[in-house]
């Protein structure tokens, strides 16, 4: 038997604002965060049916990321990425998810983290 496909739904470059960080200055004003998400699943049913309910709607993924980034503050971007991944993995069709959170204005550089969860 063949392995199941590793099809992906992804969003890249989602720009959101939130108040996250360890330092006091980071907790005073909103900062920009850039989010990428890639979710692995079997897209064969969606490809055959041409029905949005048979796939992972990228708008839904966007809404999950938005609610978390715009929600209560976290100290670490690792926590933001983990929370986004956990929420996406509630959909049992998802086999794996990768979440990248970038902080483009972190002391003059772009800092970030990518996590992958089965």
């Amino acid at each position: 038997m063949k392995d199941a496909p590793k099809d992906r739904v992804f969003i890249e470059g989602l720009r959101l604002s939130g108040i996250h960080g360890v330092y006091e200055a980071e907790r005073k004003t909103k900062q920009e965060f850039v989010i990428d998400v890639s979710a692995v699943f079997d897209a064969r049913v969606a490809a055959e049916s041409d029905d949005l309910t048979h796939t992972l709607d990228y708008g839904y993924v966007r809404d999950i990321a938005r609610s978390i980034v715009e929600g209560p503050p976290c100290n670490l971007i690792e926590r933001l990425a983990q929370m986004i991944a956990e929420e996406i993995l509630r959909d049992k069709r998802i086999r794996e998810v990768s979440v990248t959170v970038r902080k483009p204005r972190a002391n003059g550089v772009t800092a970030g983290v990518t996590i992958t969860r089965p």
Side-chain angles (χ1 to χ4, degrees):
M1 184 167 79
K2 289 184 177 181
D3 289 333
K6 287 193 171 186
D7 306 319
R8 293 181 182 269
V9 166
F10 65 91
I11 61 171
E12 294 179 340
L14 178 61
R15 296 183 179 280
L16 301 168
S17 294
I19 299 177
H20 306 284
V22 174
Y23 302 108
E24 185 179 337
E26 295 175 306
R27 296 289 185 121
K28 288 185 178 181
T29 57
K30 288 186 176 183
Q31 303 173 66
E32 182 180 54
F33 295 86
V34 181
I35 311 297
D36 300 336
V37 177
S38 179
V40 175
F41 75 114
D42 184 343
R44 291 180 291 190
V45 172
E48 289 290 323
S49 70
D50 199 25
D51 184 337
L52 182 62
T53 63
H54 294 150
T55 191
L56 180 62
D57 179 359
Y58 59 81
Y60 177 67
V61 172
R62 179 200 60 225
D63 293 345
I64 288 170
R66 178 176 286 128
S67 70
I68 292 169
V69 173
E70 293 178 353
C74 298
N75 289 330
L76 303 176
I77 58 176
E78 289 84 349
R79 179 69 184 141
L80 287 175
Q82 179 69 29
M83 291 170 65
I84 294 167
E86 287 172 352
E87 192 62 31
I88 292 168
L89 286 169
R90 289 181 189 269
D91 184 328
K92 296 304 177 198
R93 299 172 297 177
I94 306 306
R95 296 193 182 124
E96 179 180 291
V97 65
S98 293
V99 179
T100 299
V101 177
R102 289 182 186 85
K103 214 171 176 178
R105 293 185 183 91
N107 296 320
V109 300
T110 297
V113 63
T114 298
I115 65 166
T116 301
R117 300 291 183 262

